[in-house]
Amino acid sequence: MDFFTLIQVLDATVRLAIPLLLACLAGLFSERAGIFDIGLEGKMLAAAFFSAAIASMTGSVWIGLLAGIGASLFLSGIHGLASITFRGNQLISGVAINFLAAGMTVLIAQSWFSQGGRTPSLTGAARFNPINFPGALTTTNEVKAASPLMQVYSELLSGHSLLVYVALLLVPLSWWALYRTRFGLRLRAVGENPAAVDTAGVSVVGLRYAAVAICGILCGIAGAYLSTALQAGFVKDMSAGRGFIALAALIFAKWRPWHALYATFLFGLFQALELRPDVIESVIGIKIQSQFLGALPYIMTVVILAGFVGKAIPPRAGGEPYVKER
Amino acid sequence: MSTAEPAIELKGISKAFGPVQANKDISIRVMPGTIHGIIGENGAGKSTLMSILYGFYKADKGEIFISGKKTEIPDSQAAISAGIGMVFQHFKLVENFTVLENIILGAEDGWLLKPSLAKARKSLIDLAAEYELNVDPDALIEEIGVGMQQRVEILKALYRQADILILDEPTGVLTPSEADQLFRILGRLREEGKTIILITHKLREIMETTDTVSVMRRGEMTATVKTADTSPEELAELMVGRKVLLRVDKKPPQVGEVVLNVENLRVVDEQGVERLKSISLNVRAGEILGIAGVAGNGQSELLEVLGGYADGTGTVTLNGETIDLTGKHSDGKSRRARGIAHVPEDRQREGLIMDYTAWENTAFGYHHDPAYQSGILINNAAIRKDTEEKMERFDVRPPNPRLTAKNFSGGNQQKIVLAREIERNPDLLLIGQPTRGVDIGAIEFIHKQIVALRDQGKAILLVSVELEEILSLADRVAVMFDGNIMGERAVGDTDEKELGLLMAGVET
């Protein structure tokens, strides 16, 4: 394997890790506040569809993004209503959201566009297009011939869509918000011991809704990224289990923002390698089934959960509706 | 001081939960700079009243005056701004936060944490100096003891400038020395002019620390008296509504043969920590051996091994025959078959299944009893009938076998367990914390049952962290400290002071 191939694989890692990262951070805010959310997948899917559909209708990817976030927020609202206000089972609510999104997106897509559950292909301003850094080379042949440093600059750092850079900025921002602000302190507290927050005179319900809303916004961006940046349009089930891999990454990261970055990039690398079986074969000399790579994030999560690599302790009040008691 | 406005005045507070009237027309005046005790049995409405004062519940009727000013307290935020701080029985702390983070939570100065933390750190140093409340601000809550955690709760209230401090059953989780420390701190707070409301069901604490005391019974305030003008006996009578024997009446023991003999018993837990080092003791027929000690010094492990649900090494004999301490003949079932009954320390986790009915709980462990069978099926009707009779004999209220365990009060839950174990006519009864969380009326009954069993010539091993209980029930007392028996005394030859020293690990 030459250096350029490595750079290409890493470049694909970045592109594939970004939706995982956004969904993982979404789950992080929600679960840190004590609301388990297995509906990340469904929210991403709904956002992917609505952002592509609205972008295709209006021709503006920004309006599409807003529509995607709106759709995801709507589903978050349902989850919040079920699990915070009505104190229902958070897992069941999440499963319901996943099914709802899987079915509704295809149904609405067929009814609006009659293209077999797809949206029309997006072009021009209806997509998030790559941003090329100044001086970066753009064609593959030029990059291949350039110096290693230039290859890193042009292929790996430059040429991603705006959402990639936004997602990466969200990592330090999330860390800062969680650990350096009043909101973060309260958010973490409400996931650990809501009674402590309640007796301190702060609204548990308000904090949890805020967390669920942030989760909705981030899932919305993740979904929009899938259909308007990574791909050019919506196809059926395009989230392809990313919401679940993000949850696995969240456990792997032990609910910490920087570790979420590392975990999702590791899982992104597996996905990138899944697409390039030739690369693995040339490095380790044996052929590995791509399905194995696809399963690797889950296997690693089971290993983590079994406690082989330190202990992954979820927020203590996670999954429990808060009922006031003396 | 007598001319000052009361710090808190409640007028005609009533609160109902459905058909249950938790508080009935309660009026109370608490003067500033005093410690005011509120005493009553479990379920008398003490906690409800304080929850109203802290904005957890809204009273159906009545008014609250703080320093003479009528105040509405719709939520905890309002209570905090009215200068009320509350230390709950179960602490409201975030376990994996530092002390400092817990203190500022909800009382931050701005949306950035740094200035708030710095300010709290400084004010913590001042508070520590003023009230002798030392804590390490950077320690994690889960790494400090319960006594320290309680200090954090008090500091939380003081940091929010509370002038009125409510403590709900504050000594339930504390060791005797930690409790003494707490009362010193409360005395100090009183000197500084703070008003303290102490809710408890322990008469001794009321007598030792309070200036005035109010008694609650079944949702009503039955009396408010100066502590100096009353006696424990009078308070107990006011609480229960009838005369109560605080001391157990018992005849001298008729001691027989050795029933339980333990030699060099050693227990190592899963983490490899030696919980019991080398315990030797014996219990004879017709006597009660009390095991005293601060919680966590090996008493629980002793009960677990003897009860058959932990492994140990050493020699244990019952009526001269060896008992297996490991392997398949070391479990609750084989212990029961040998004539050992066990009333575990934590009745809600080990003694009962809280979501099951009283009759189901009565059958547990004894469900193979032929009287409970009908062919290959269990004869539910027979169990229910048996349970009903047991409930009657043990005065369980309400005597309804179909009620789930969690719907009984602590005392009645204990009676259900006691009835199940005692009525099997065991040779040896292991009993842990028989009256923890049990109200005074039921304590009296439970103590009488234990003494009655002794008088029938049974051997009883009693573990309790309440020294008073050991002294009034046991014939001999062994003190445990750090997995060892520090000493053994006949109850008549010792006193609280000597036992207290042994409990602290000091040879006497």
Side-chain angles (χ1 to χ4, degrees), chain B residues 51-127:
Chain B
S51 298
I52 288 170
L53 200 48
Y54 197 65
F56 257 40
Y57 299 134
K58 203 170 159 19
D60 301 335
K61 266 204 324 249
E63 294 172 322
I64 301 170
F65 295 85
I66 308 285
S67 304
K69 216 172 81 218
K70 187 170 184 311
T71 312
E72 294 289 333
I73 305 183
D75 53 30
S76 303
Q77 189 69 59
I80 293 167
S81 32
I84 300 173
M86 179 122 173
V87 177
F88 290 87
Q89 191 176 0
H90 303 288
F91 304 144
K92 310 288 184 190
L93 297 171
V94 181
E95 295 255 307
N96 56 359
F97 277 20
T98 64
V99 168
L100 216 51
E101 285 172 327
N102 268 288
I103 284 176
I104 63 165
L105 180 64
E108 308 90 344
D109 291 298
W111 60 280
L112 281 179
L113 287 184
K114 222 174 186 173
S116 306
L117 286 167
K119 185 183 148 201
R121 187 181 295 275
K122 205 174 146 288
S123 112
L124 214 55
I125 295 170
D126 297 342
L127 287 171

Side-chain angles (χ1 to χ4, degrees), chain B residues 2 44 68 86 96 120 134 149 166 194 213 233 244 257 297 306 326 348 401 417 425-426 428 430 439 467 474 492-493:
Chain B
S2 57
M86 179 122 173
N96 56 359
N134 290 304
Q149 291 181 2
I166 306 170
K194 306 277 182 193
V213 51
E233 286 76 15
V244 181
E257 296 286 303
N297 277 295
L306 294 177
T326 52
Q348 304 200 339
V417 180
N425 197 25
L428 170 70
L430 307 171
D439 44 49
L467 200 49
D493 302 340

Side-chain angles (χ1 to χ4, degrees), chain A residues 186 193 199 201 316 326, chain B residues 48 54 77 93 108 111 142:
Chain A
R186 292 176 175 186
N193 186 357
T199 51
R316 283 183 183 77
R326 325 178 270 221
Chain B
T48 304
Y54 197 65
Q77 189 69 59
L93 297 171
E108 308 90 344
W111 60 280
E142 58 200 355

Side-chain angles (χ1 to χ4, degrees), chain B residues 8-26:
Chain B
I8 297 179
E9 183 168 15
L10 302 180
K11 279 187 186 165
I13 297 278
S14 292
K15 173 78 187 168
F17 296 102
V20 181
Q21 191 77 35
N23 285 160
K24 264 180 268 181
D25 192 25
I26 289 187

Side-chain angles (χ1 to χ4, degrees), chain B residues 442-481:
Chain B
I443 289 177
E444 189 189 9
F445 182 87
I446 290 168
H447 282 177
K448 271 188 189 160
Q449 295 297 322
I450 295 173
V451 171
L453 195 69
R454 174 195 85 153
D455 292 342
Q456 287 167 32
K458 309 296 184 187
I460 294 169
L461 182 79
L462 163 79
V463 170
S464 176
V465 291
E466 304 280 349
L467 200 49
E468 241 179 304
E469 177 165 51
I470 299 255
L471 285 173
S472 74
L473 277 182
D475 301 303
R476 279 188 301 140
V477 52
V479 181
M480 285 189 71
F481 175 76

